[in-house]
Amino acid sequence: MGRRLVPLTLDNLSDLPQRCRACVFWELDQVSGEAAVKAGTAELEKESWISAVLLEWGSCGRVVFVDEVPVGFVLYAPPAYVPRSLAFPTSPVSTDAIQLMTAWIHPEYQGQGLGRVVVQTVAKDLLRRGFRAIEAFGDARWKGPACVLPADHLLAVGFKTVRPHPTHPRLRLELRTALSWKEDVELALDRLLGAVQKEPVLRPL
């Protein structure tokens, strides 16, 4: 089973699930987001946001492929590009951190270590760009797929709570900590996924 993680661009945006391509929960503030959905322009707003972040800041996501089939993605950006983050009771994101906005792995591919590989790939990218940490708002009462990631999942892949809250705690992952999993995670993935094909430039581990 070969898997690879490639940077998100406008060219592969269509590999995201339809509901995610038309979701602007994080990309716009609540009023603008609701207006875009009502006007049927949410997908265009999403494309515009990704284009702007790519031009002004650089890579802001990864798409996960297994045997050339898209099975997941992750989005991240500086909090200045994420208007909805200001609406959370545990905001703001720390000044030295990038915000992990959302991520998704197809249910058939969950439980195979891909969540950790995604986090490691993001960590490696951001360390190369001079950042120290990544933070996320978690959902402590998560019941199903949503734009806000379950707090338990974030804790399971190495995040630590920096500002508690009964519903939306803010969690933080020091990027060098994420990369310290290398040996254990690589061994586990080899057992789970068998022979793994990696593109050298995009190798996540």
Side-chain angles (χ1 to χ4, degrees), residues 30-49:
Q30 184 172 354
V31 173
S32 300
E34 290 174 355
V37 171
K38 187 175 181 179
T41 60
E43 197 161 342
L44 291 175
E45 292 285 358
K46 184 89 161 193
E47 291 182 8
S48 177
W49 183 87

Side-chain angles (χ1 to χ4, degrees), residues 7 15 75 82 103 128 134 137 147 150 153 165-166 170 187 190 195 204:
D15 288 320
L75 274 177
V82 191
R128 281 197 300 259
I134 190 163
F137 298 102
C147 299
H153 172 75
H165 188 269
R170 178 160 51 89
L187 177 61
D190 284 344

Side-chain angles (χ1 to χ4, degrees), residues 48-185:
S48 177
W49 183 87
I50 290 173
S51 178
V53 177
L54 285 171
L55 287 171
E56 297 170 11
W57 183 68
S59 179
C60 58
R62 290 289 188 275
V63 182
V64 184
F65 291 88
V66 174
D67 292 338
E68 304 306 316
V69 176
V71 301
F73 74 94
V74 60
L75 274 177
Y76 52 95
Y81 289 97
V82 191
R84 184 61 71 94
S85 67
L86 295 175
F88 281 74
T90 49
S91 66
V93 170
S94 301
T95 56
D96 65 345
I98 296 301
Q99 183 178 342
L100 174 63
M101 298 160 59
T102 194
W104 175 81
I105 297 292
H106 191 286
E108 291 183 12
Y109 294 87
Q110 293 174 9
Q112 299 180 5
L114 286 175
R116 286 202 171 198
V117 175
V118 167
V119 171
Q120 282 193 307
T121 302
V122 173
K124 199 168 186 177
D125 173 43
L126 294 177
L127 274 173
R128 281 197 300 259
R129 295 157 74 178
F131 298 99
R132 293 179 50 193
I134 190 163
E135 293 189 359
F137 298 102
D139 184 349
R141 301 175 180 175
W142 190 87
K143 296 186 183 301
C147 299
V148 183
L149 294 170
D152 285 348
H153 172 75
L154 293 168
L155 292 168
V157 295
F159 281 75
K160 306 294 183 186
T161 302
V162 290
R163 190 168 177 192
H165 188 269
T167 305
H168 293 302
R170 178 160 51 89
L171 303 102
R172 178 181 175 95
L173 178 68
E174 301 296 334
L175 295 176
R176 294 194 181 279
T177 299
L179 294 181
S180 71
W181 305 328
K182 184 179 187 303
E183 292 182 2
D184 291 343
V185 174

